[in-house]
Amino acid sequence: MGAAHSETTVQVIREAFGCGEALGATIAGLTREAPHLRGAMLWNGDQEDASALLCQGRAQELAFGREGAVLVLHALRAGELFGGIMGGAGEGVSRIEALDEGSSARFTTTAVLRLMESYPLVALAVARQMSARIEAMRRRMVETALLSATGRICSELLRLARASSDLAIRPLPVFSELAITVQSTRETVSRTISQLEKRGVLRRIEGGLAVVAPHRLEEMIY
């Protein structure tokens, strides 16, 4: 059985799998709570029997090509699974990196598969996350192929804002990280956000950015 978990971790486990207290405790007992620092590598492609649930903080799945090319495959938030259970691009090709200080609940992939076999709720939760992941990657592929750099930046800003009830992006995006996400440059991201602020589409707030005119931001995507 795993060591005692924080209330936050247990709550995230229950919400992620849509389960009650008893099953949540069973799942938590199969995990190890692991804190991490910003920039830590949380998983790499050769760890097939290592899976985890992100409980606090943000992370991203990155793929690496020759000559230093980097592609963001997926941006992860608390409550999302990563690692062997979600598949990977193979040894040395992809990895999960932490964007913030946080923590995760770590399983073996074998343990997750056994939970899926035993509890339909767990199997359904994993299937839903996989489906959402595929849809997010499909959307990014379409945007990379069809939108300009400015359009991709506006689309990502709008997506980040809509994740909160007040259309605020917190914490303030790191321009270099946002550039990798949208396959652009830090300079283009900085220039675009500055122009959006001057036009009154965005406004700086404490700890982040507020989208003041979402309809105008949406118009600038295409």
Short mmCIF file of all heavy atoms in Angstrom, two decimals, residues 151-199:
data_model
loop_
_atom_site.label_atom_id
_atom_site.label_comp_id
_atom_site.label_asym_id
_atom_site.label_seq_id
_atom_site.Cartn_x
_atom_site.Cartn_y
_atom_site.Cartn_z
N GLY A 151 -2.52 33.85 -35.61
CA GLY A 151 -3.75 33.10 -35.39
C GLY A 151 -3.57 32.01 -34.35
O GLY A 151 -4.44 31.80 -33.49
N ARG A 152 -2.43 31.32 -34.41
CA ARG A 152 -2.18 30.25 -33.44
C ARG A 152 -2.00 30.82 -32.04
O ARG A 152 -2.47 30.23 -31.06
CB ARG A 152 -0.93 29.46 -33.84
CG ARG A 152 -1.08 28.69 -35.15
CD ARG A 152 -0.02 27.65 -35.33
NE ARG A 152 1.33 28.17 -35.34
CZ ARG A 152 1.97 28.65 -36.41
NH1 ARG A 152 1.33 28.71 -37.57
NH2 ARG A 152 3.21 29.08 -36.33
N ILE A 153 -1.36 31.97 -31.92
CA ILE A 153 -1.17 32.61 -30.61
C ILE A 153 -2.52 33.02 -30.04
O ILE A 153 -2.83 32.77 -28.87
CB ILE A 153 -0.23 33.82 -30.73
CG1 ILE A 153 1.19 33.35 -31.09
CG2 ILE A 153 -0.19 34.62 -29.42
CD1 ILE A 153 2.11 34.46 -31.56
N CYS A 154 -3.36 33.66 -30.87
CA CYS A 154 -4.68 34.10 -30.41
C CYS A 154 -5.54 32.90 -30.01
O CYS A 154 -6.27 32.95 -29.00
CB CYS A 154 -5.37 34.90 -31.49
SG CYS A 154 -4.61 36.52 -31.81
N SER A 155 -5.47 31.83 -30.78
CA SER A 155 -6.24 30.64 -30.47
C SER A 155 -5.82 30.04 -29.14
O SER A 155 -6.67 29.65 -28.31
CB SER A 155 -6.07 29.59 -31.58
OG SER A 155 -6.77 28.42 -31.29
N GLU A 156 -4.52 29.98 -28.88
CA GLU A 156 -4.03 29.42 -27.62
C GLU A 156 -4.40 30.31 -26.44
O GLU A 156 -4.79 29.81 -25.38
CB GLU A 156 -2.51 29.23 -27.69
CG GLU A 156 -1.90 28.54 -26.48
CD GLU A 156 -2.35 27.11 -26.31
OE1 GLU A 156 -2.87 26.50 -27.28
OE2 GLU A 156 -2.18 26.57 -25.19
N LEU A 157 -4.30 31.62 -26.62
CA LEU A 157 -4.68 32.54 -25.54
C LEU A 157 -6.17 32.39 -25.20
O LEU A 157 -6.55 32.37 -24.03
CB LEU A 157 -4.38 33.98 -25.95
CG LEU A 157 -2.90 34.37 -26.03
CD1 LEU A 157 -2.76 35.76 -26.64
CD2 LEU A 157 -2.24 34.33 -24.65
N LEU A 158 -6.99 32.27 -26.23
CA LEU A 158 -8.42 32.11 -26.00
C LEU A 158 -8.72 30.78 -25.30
O LEU A 158 -9.55 30.71 -24.40
CB LEU A 158 -9.17 32.19 -27.33
CG LEU A 158 -10.69 32.31 -27.26
CD1 LEU A 158 -11.10 33.56 -26.50
CD2 LEU A 158 -11.27 32.34 -28.67
N ARG A 159 -8.02 29.74 -25.70
CA ARG A 159 -8.20 28.43 -25.08
C ARG A 159 -7.80 28.46 -23.60
O ARG A 159 -8.50 27.93 -22.74
CB ARG A 159 -7.37 27.39 -25.83
CG ARG A 159 -7.58 25.97 -25.38
CD ARG A 159 -7.22 24.96 -26.45
NE ARG A 159 -6.00 25.25 -27.15
CZ ARG A 159 -5.92 25.50 -28.46
NH1 ARG A 159 -7.02 25.50 -29.19
NH2 ARG A 159 -4.78 25.73 -29.04
N LEU A 160 -6.68 29.11 -23.31
CA LEU A 160 -6.23 29.22 -21.92
C LEU A 160 -7.22 30.03 -21.09
O LEU A 160 -7.51 29.69 -19.94
CB LEU A 160 -4.84 29.86 -21.87
CG LEU A 160 -3.68 29.04 -22.42
CD1 LEU A 160 -2.42 29.90 -22.51
CD2 LEU A 160 -3.43 27.80 -21.57
N ALA A 161 -7.73 31.11 -21.67
CA ALA A 161 -8.67 31.98 -20.95
C ALA A 161 -9.98 31.25 -20.66
O ALA A 161 -10.56 31.39 -19.57
CB ALA A 161 -8.94 33.24 -21.75
N ARG A 162 -10.47 30.48 -21.61
CA ARG A 162 -11.75 29.80 -21.44
C ARG A 162 -11.68 28.65 -20.42
O ARG A 162 -12.71 28.12 -20.01
CB ARG A 162 -12.24 29.27 -22.79
CG ARG A 162 -12.81 30.39 -23.67
CD ARG A 162 -13.18 29.90 -25.05
NE ARG A 162 -13.92 30.93 -25.79
CZ ARG A 162 -14.15 30.88 -27.10
NH1 ARG A 162 -13.69 29.85 -27.82
NH2 ARG A 162 -14.83 31.84 -27.69
N ALA A 163 -10.47 28.32 -20.01
CA ALA A 163 -10.31 27.30 -18.97
C ALA A 163 -10.65 27.84 -17.59
O ALA A 163 -10.78 27.07 -16.63
CB ALA A 163 -8.88 26.75 -18.98
N SER A 164 -10.81 29.16 -17.47
CA SER A 164 -11.17 29.77 -16.19
C SER A 164 -12.51 30.47 -16.32
O SER A 164 -12.91 30.89 -17.41
CB SER A 164 -10.10 30.77 -15.73
OG SER A 164 -10.05 31.87 -16.60
N SER A 165 -13.21 30.63 -15.20
CA SER A 165 -14.55 31.21 -15.23
C SER A 165 -14.55 32.71 -15.52
O SER A 165 -15.54 33.26 -15.98
CB SER A 165 -15.25 30.95 -13.89
OG SER A 165 -14.50 31.51 -12.82
N ASP A 166 -13.41 33.38 -15.25
CA ASP A 166 -13.35 34.83 -15.44
C ASP A 166 -12.52 35.25 -16.65
O ASP A 166 -12.13 36.41 -16.78
CB ASP A 166 -12.80 35.51 -14.18
CG ASP A 166 -11.41 34.99 -13.80
OD1 ASP A 166 -10.92 34.06 -14.46
OD2 ASP A 166 -10.83 35.53 -12.84
N LEU A 167 -12.24 34.30 -17.55
CA LEU A 167 -11.45 34.57 -18.76
C LEU A 167 -10.07 35.16 -18.42
O LEU A 167 -9.54 35.98 -19.16
CB LEU A 167 -12.19 35.50 -19.71
CG LEU A 167 -13.41 34.91 -20.42
CD1 LEU A 167 -14.05 35.96 -21.33
CD2 LEU A 167 -13.04 33.69 -21.24
N ALA A 168 -9.50 34.71 -17.32
CA ALA A 168 -8.17 35.16 -16.91
C ALA A 168 -7.16 34.02 -17.08
O ALA A 168 -7.48 32.87 -16.78
CB ALA A 168 -8.17 35.64 -15.47
N ILE A 169 -6.00 34.36 -17.59
CA ILE A 169 -4.94 33.38 -17.78
C ILE A 169 -3.95 33.55 -16.64
O ILE A 169 -3.25 34.55 -16.54
CB ILE A 169 -4.23 33.60 -19.13
CG1 ILE A 169 -5.24 33.53 -20.29
CG2 ILE A 169 -3.12 32.57 -19.33
CD1 ILE A 169 -4.67 33.96 -21.62
N ARG A 170 -3.91 32.56 -15.77
CA ARG A 170 -3.00 32.58 -14.63
C ARG A 170 -2.28 31.24 -14.54
O ARG A 170 -2.93 30.19 -14.71
CB ARG A 170 -3.75 32.84 -13.31
CG ARG A 170 -4.48 34.16 -13.25
CD ARG A 170 -5.05 34.36 -11.84
NE ARG A 170 -5.83 35.60 -11.74
CZ ARG A 170 -7.13 35.68 -11.94
NH1 ARG A 170 -7.81 34.60 -12.29
NH2 ARG A 170 -7.77 36.83 -11.82
N PRO A 171 -0.97 31.26 -14.27
CA PRO A 171 -0.12 32.45 -14.14
C PRO A 171 0.14 33.10 -15.49
O PRO A 171 -0.27 32.56 -16.53
CB PRO A 171 1.18 31.87 -13.54
CG PRO A 171 1.21 30.46 -14.05
CD PRO A 171 -0.22 30.01 -14.08
N LEU A 172 0.82 34.24 -15.47
CA LEU A 172 1.16 34.93 -16.71
C LEU A 172 1.96 33.98 -17.60
O LEU A 172 2.94 33.39 -17.15
CB LEU A 172 1.99 36.18 -16.40
CG LEU A 172 2.39 37.04 -17.60
CD1 LEU A 172 1.18 37.75 -18.16
CD2 LEU A 172 3.47 38.05 -17.19
N PRO A 173 1.56 33.80 -18.86
CA PRO A 173 2.29 32.87 -19.72
C PRO A 173 3.76 33.26 -19.89
O PRO A 173 4.09 34.43 -20.01
CB PRO A 173 1.55 33.00 -21.07
CG PRO A 173 0.21 33.55 -20.72
CD PRO A 173 0.42 34.43 -19.53
N VAL A 174 4.61 32.26 -19.86
CA VAL A 174 6.03 32.47 -20.19
C VAL A 174 6.13 32.48 -21.71
O VAL A 174 5.76 31.50 -22.36
CB VAL A 174 6.90 31.35 -19.59
CG1 VAL A 174 8.36 31.53 -19.99
CG2 VAL A 174 6.76 31.34 -18.06
N PHE A 175 6.58 33.58 -22.27
CA PHE A 175 6.53 33.75 -23.71
C PHE A 175 7.31 32.66 -24.46
O PHE A 175 6.88 32.19 -25.52
CB PHE A 175 7.06 35.13 -24.11
CG PHE A 175 6.15 36.26 -23.69
CD1 PHE A 175 6.56 37.58 -23.83
CD2 PHE A 175 4.90 36.02 -23.15
CE1 PHE A 175 5.74 38.63 -23.45
CE2 PHE A 175 4.06 37.05 -22.76
CZ PHE A 175 4.49 38.35 -22.91
N SER A 176 8.45 32.25 -23.93
CA SER A 176 9.24 31.21 -24.60
C SER A 176 8.49 29.88 -24.62
O SER A 176 8.55 29.14 -25.60
CB SER A 176 10.60 31.06 -23.94
OG SER A 176 10.46 30.75 -22.56
N GLU A 177 7.77 29.57 -23.53
CA GLU A 177 7.00 28.33 -23.47
C GLU A 177 5.80 28.40 -24.40
O GLU A 177 5.47 27.42 -25.08
CB GLU A 177 6.55 28.06 -22.03
CG GLU A 177 7.70 27.76 -21.08
CD GLU A 177 7.26 27.65 -19.64
OE1 GLU A 177 6.05 27.91 -19.36
OE2 GLU A 177 8.09 27.30 -18.78
N LEU A 178 5.13 29.55 -24.42
CA LEU A 178 3.99 29.72 -25.32
C LEU A 178 4.43 29.60 -26.77
O LEU A 178 3.72 29.03 -27.60
CB LEU A 178 3.33 31.08 -25.06
CG LEU A 178 2.04 31.38 -25.82
CD1 LEU A 178 0.99 30.31 -25.58
CD2 LEU A 178 1.50 32.75 -25.41
N ALA A 179 5.62 30.11 -27.08
CA ALA A 179 6.14 30.04 -28.45
C ALA A 179 6.33 28.59 -28.89
O ALA A 179 6.01 28.23 -30.02
CB ALA A 179 7.46 30.80 -28.54
N ILE A 180 6.86 27.75 -28.00
CA ILE A 180 7.04 26.34 -28.33
C ILE A 180 5.69 25.68 -28.56
O ILE A 180 5.50 24.90 -29.49
CB ILE A 180 7.82 25.62 -27.22
CG1 ILE A 180 9.26 26.13 -27.16
CG2 ILE A 180 7.81 24.10 -27.44
CD1 ILE A 180 10.06 25.58 -26.00
N THR A 181 4.72 26.02 -27.72
CA THR A 181 3.39 25.42 -27.83
C THR A 181 2.75 25.71 -29.18
O THR A 181 2.13 24.82 -29.78
CB THR A 181 2.47 25.95 -26.71
OG1 THR A 181 3.03 25.59 -25.44
CG2 THR A 181 1.07 25.37 -26.82
N VAL A 182 2.90 26.94 -29.67
CA VAL A 182 2.23 27.32 -30.92
C VAL A 182 3.16 27.27 -32.12
O VAL A 182 2.81 27.73 -33.21
CB VAL A 182 1.61 28.73 -30.80
CG1 VAL A 182 0.58 28.77 -29.69
CG2 VAL A 182 2.68 29.80 -30.58
N GLN A 183 4.36 26.71 -31.94
CA GLN A 183 5.33 26.59 -33.03
C GLN A 183 5.65 27.95 -33.66
O GLN A 183 5.54 28.15 -34.87
CB GLN A 183 4.81 25.61 -34.09
CG GLN A 183 4.72 24.18 -33.61
CD GLN A 183 6.10 23.57 -33.32
OE1 GLN A 183 6.85 23.27 -34.22
NE2 GLN A 183 6.42 23.43 -32.04
N SER A 184 6.03 28.89 -32.79
CA SER A 184 6.41 30.22 -33.24
C SER A 184 7.69 30.63 -32.52
O SER A 184 8.45 29.77 -32.07
CB SER A 184 5.26 31.21 -32.96
OG SER A 184 5.55 32.47 -33.50
N THR A 185 7.94 31.93 -32.42
CA THR A 185 9.13 32.42 -31.73
C THR A 185 8.72 33.29 -30.55
O THR A 185 7.61 33.83 -30.51
CB THR A 185 10.01 33.27 -32.67
OG1 THR A 185 9.28 34.45 -33.04
CG2 THR A 185 10.39 32.47 -33.92
N ARG A 186 9.63 33.43 -29.60
CA ARG A 186 9.35 34.25 -28.43
C ARG A 186 9.06 35.69 -28.85
O ARG A 186 8.17 36.35 -28.30
CB ARG A 186 10.53 34.23 -27.47
CG ARG A 186 10.25 34.97 -26.17
CD ARG A 186 11.49 35.20 -25.34
NE ARG A 186 11.16 35.86 -24.09
CZ ARG A 186 10.87 37.15 -23.96
NH1 ARG A 186 10.85 37.94 -25.04
NH2 ARG A 186 10.58 37.67 -22.78
N GLU A 187 9.81 36.19 -29.83
CA GLU A 187 9.64 37.56 -30.30
C GLU A 187 8.23 37.78 -30.88
O GLU A 187 7.60 38.81 -30.64
CB GLU A 187 10.70 37.91 -31.34
CG GLU A 187 12.12 37.99 -30.80
CD GLU A 187 12.73 36.63 -30.48
OE1 GLU A 187 12.24 35.61 -31.02
OE2 GLU A 187 13.69 36.59 -29.67
N THR A 188 7.76 36.80 -31.66
CA THR A 188 6.43 36.93 -32.25
C THR A 188 5.35 36.90 -31.17
O THR A 188 4.39 37.67 -31.23
CB THR A 188 6.19 35.79 -33.26
OG1 THR A 188 7.19 35.85 -34.28
CG2 THR A 188 4.81 35.91 -33.90
N VAL A 189 5.51 36.04 -30.18
CA VAL A 189 4.55 35.98 -29.09
C VAL A 189 4.53 37.29 -28.32
O VAL A 189 3.47 37.85 -28.04
CB VAL A 189 4.89 34.82 -28.13
CG1 VAL A 189 4.06 34.91 -26.85
CG2 VAL A 189 4.66 33.48 -28.82
N SER A 190 5.70 37.81 -27.98
CA SER A 190 5.80 39.06 -27.23
C SER A 190 5.16 40.21 -28.01
O SER A 190 4.39 41.01 -27.46
CB SER A 190 7.27 39.38 -26.94
OG SER A 190 7.39 40.61 -26.28
N ARG A 191 5.45 40.28 -29.30
CA ARG A 191 4.92 41.37 -30.13
C ARG A 191 3.40 41.26 -30.25
O ARG A 191 2.68 42.27 -30.16
CB ARG A 191 5.56 41.31 -31.52
CG ARG A 191 5.12 42.44 -32.45
CD ARG A 191 5.96 42.48 -33.72
NE ARG A 191 5.86 41.24 -34.48
CZ ARG A 191 6.84 40.35 -34.60
NH1 ARG A 191 7.99 40.54 -33.97
NH2 ARG A 191 6.67 39.26 -35.31
N THR A 192 2.90 40.04 -30.44
CA THR A 192 1.46 39.85 -30.60
C THR A 192 0.71 40.22 -29.32
O THR A 192 -0.32 40.91 -29.36
CB THR A 192 1.15 38.39 -30.97
OG1 THR A 192 1.81 38.07 -32.20
CG2 THR A 192 -0.35 38.17 -31.12
N ILE A 193 1.20 39.78 -28.17
CA ILE A 193 0.54 40.10 -26.91
C ILE A 193 0.59 41.59 -26.63
O ILE A 193 -0.40 42.19 -26.15
CB ILE A 193 1.18 39.29 -25.76
CG1 ILE A 193 0.80 37.81 -25.90
CG2 ILE A 193 0.73 39.83 -24.39
CD1 ILE A 193 1.40 36.91 -24.85
N SER A 194 1.70 42.23 -26.95
CA SER A 194 1.82 43.68 -26.77
C SER A 194 0.77 44.41 -27.62
O SER A 194 0.12 45.35 -27.16
CB SER A 194 3.22 44.15 -27.14
OG SER A 194 3.33 45.54 -27.02
N GLN A 195 0.60 43.97 -28.87
CA GLN A 195 -0.39 44.60 -29.75
C GLN A 195 -1.81 44.37 -29.24
O GLN A 195 -2.65 45.28 -29.31
CB GLN A 195 -0.24 44.02 -31.16
CG GLN A 195 1.04 44.45 -31.86
CD GLN A 195 1.26 43.72 -33.19
OE1 GLN A 195 0.57 42.74 -33.49
NE2 GLN A 195 2.22 44.19 -33.97
N LEU A 196 -2.07 43.18 -28.71
CA LEU A 196 -3.40 42.88 -28.18
C LEU A 196 -3.71 43.74 -26.95
O LEU A 196 -4.85 44.17 -26.74
CB LEU A 196 -3.51 41.40 -27.82
CG LEU A 196 -3.52 40.43 -29.01
CD1 LEU A 196 -3.37 38.99 -28.53
CD2 LEU A 196 -4.80 40.58 -29.83
N GLU A 197 -2.69 44.01 -26.16
CA GLU A 197 -2.87 44.89 -25.00
C GLU A 197 -3.18 46.32 -25.45
O GLU A 197 -4.06 46.99 -24.91
CB GLU A 197 -1.63 44.87 -24.12
CG GLU A 197 -1.44 43.58 -23.34
CD GLU A 197 -0.22 43.63 -22.45
OE1 GLU A 197 -0.37 44.09 -21.30
OE2 GLU A 197 0.87 43.23 -22.88
N LYS A 198 -2.45 46.81 -26.45
CA LYS A 198 -2.67 48.17 -26.95
C LYS A 198 -4.05 48.34 -27.55
O LYS A 198 -4.65 49.42 -27.47
CB LYS A 198 -1.60 48.51 -28.00
CG LYS A 198 -0.20 48.67 -27.42
CD LYS A 198 0.82 48.92 -28.52
CE LYS A 198 2.23 49.06 -27.95
NZ LYS A 198 3.26 49.23 -29.02
N ARG A 199 -4.59 47.28 -28.13
CA ARG A 199 -5.92 47.33 -28.75
C ARG A 199 -7.03 47.11 -27.73
O ARG A 199 -8.22 47.14 -28.09
CB ARG A 199 -6.02 46.28 -29.86
CG ARG A 199 -5.08 46.53 -31.04
CD ARG A 199 -5.20 45.42 -32.05
NE ARG A 199 -4.25 45.59 -33.15
CZ ARG A 199 -4.10 44.74 -34.16
NH1 ARG A 199 -4.87 43.67 -34.21
NH2 ARG A 199 -3.22 44.97 -35.11
#
